[in-house]
Amino acid sequence: MKFFVDTAEIEAIRDLAATGLLDGVTTNPSLIAKSGRDFKEVTAEICGIVNGPVSAEVVALDHATMMKEAEVLRKIADNVCIKVPLTVDGLKTCKALSSEGTMVNVTLCFSANQALLAAKAGASFISPFVGRHDDNGFDGMDLIEDIRLIYDNYSFATEILVASVRHTTHVLQAAKIGADVMTAPPAVIHALFKHVLTDKGIEGFMADWAKTGQSIL
Ligand code: E4P
């Protein structure tokens, strides 16, 4: 399972990249606004930190302008993945870009039928938003299960990128279902490392080790 971080904060990305466990980055217009940075500038900086896909989202709503924006964004770096919304124009753009060999992430997916359309449009990634789905009285993980089943039925190469992840249980459930990728805020990824018994165990081992008066180095 690939781990992407869902942020445009450079320090947070550097920090996670240093673990060697970060496979990519996702951004969206809200995250860019939150960073306070210039979109193209910060995207180029992120692309220089990670080797994997860095999703940069178009903001136009019509196909022709989306194509023009994608042209600008894909020139930033080879690992830019063009993010388009799950609309008719977004999927037209996805089909056109994927046919030219450009990576595309189709975002704002809330149904398995939408995911089916994105796969047919040649998306590299489909981003179902599990947290926002949960917020609206649905079970985001049911959606991931349905998409996994449909993609396996037809051997679609589109990767399921579980997005809008809010907590570590989302990550666990996504991994059990067999999602290909998850993207989460830095705090959720950091929380994956933590267990109270790990901390307690280290504390005990350190206390006993001190009693030996030895040193390894
Ligand atoms: C995914 O690519 C989106 O950027 C993101 O996961 C949205 O998450 P949110 O629902 O927490 O805004």
Side-chain angles (χ1 to χ4, degrees), residues 32 36 135 154:
I32 296 295
D135 293 345
Y154 297 99

Short mmCIF file of all heavy atoms in Angstrom, two decimals, residues 32 36 135 154:
data_model
loop_
_atom_site.label_atom_id
_atom_site.label_comp_id
_atom_site.label_asym_id
_atom_site.label_seq_id
_atom_site.Cartn_x
_atom_site.Cartn_y
_atom_site.Cartn_z
N ILE A 32 -3.55 24.42 -0.95
CA ILE A 32 -2.65 25.46 -1.50
C ILE A 32 -2.95 26.79 -0.81
O ILE A 32 -2.04 27.50 -0.37
CB ILE A 32 -2.80 25.59 -3.04
CG1 ILE A 32 -2.37 24.29 -3.74
CG2 ILE A 32 -2.02 26.80 -3.58
CD1 ILE A 32 -0.91 23.91 -3.61
N GLY A 36 -0.49 29.30 1.84
CA GLY A 36 -0.16 30.71 1.58
C GLY A 36 0.92 30.87 0.52
O GLY A 36 1.43 31.97 0.32
N ASP A 135 -19.08 11.77 6.97
CA ASP A 135 -19.72 12.98 7.52
C ASP A 135 -21.17 13.13 7.06
O ASP A 135 -21.96 13.81 7.70
CB ASP A 135 -18.99 14.26 7.04
CG ASP A 135 -17.59 14.37 7.62
OD1 ASP A 135 -17.28 13.64 8.57
OD2 ASP A 135 -16.80 15.18 7.08
N TYR A 154 -12.94 -6.24 -13.57
CA TYR A 154 -12.56 -5.89 -14.95
C TYR A 154 -11.06 -5.66 -15.11
O TYR A 154 -10.63 -5.20 -16.16
CB TYR A 154 -13.34 -4.64 -15.39
CG TYR A 154 -14.83 -4.92 -15.41
CD1 TYR A 154 -15.64 -4.54 -14.35
CD2 TYR A 154 -15.40 -5.64 -16.46
CE1 TYR A 154 -16.99 -4.84 -14.35
CE2 TYR A 154 -16.75 -5.95 -16.46
CZ TYR A 154 -17.55 -5.55 -15.40
OH TYR A 154 -18.88 -5.86 -15.39
#
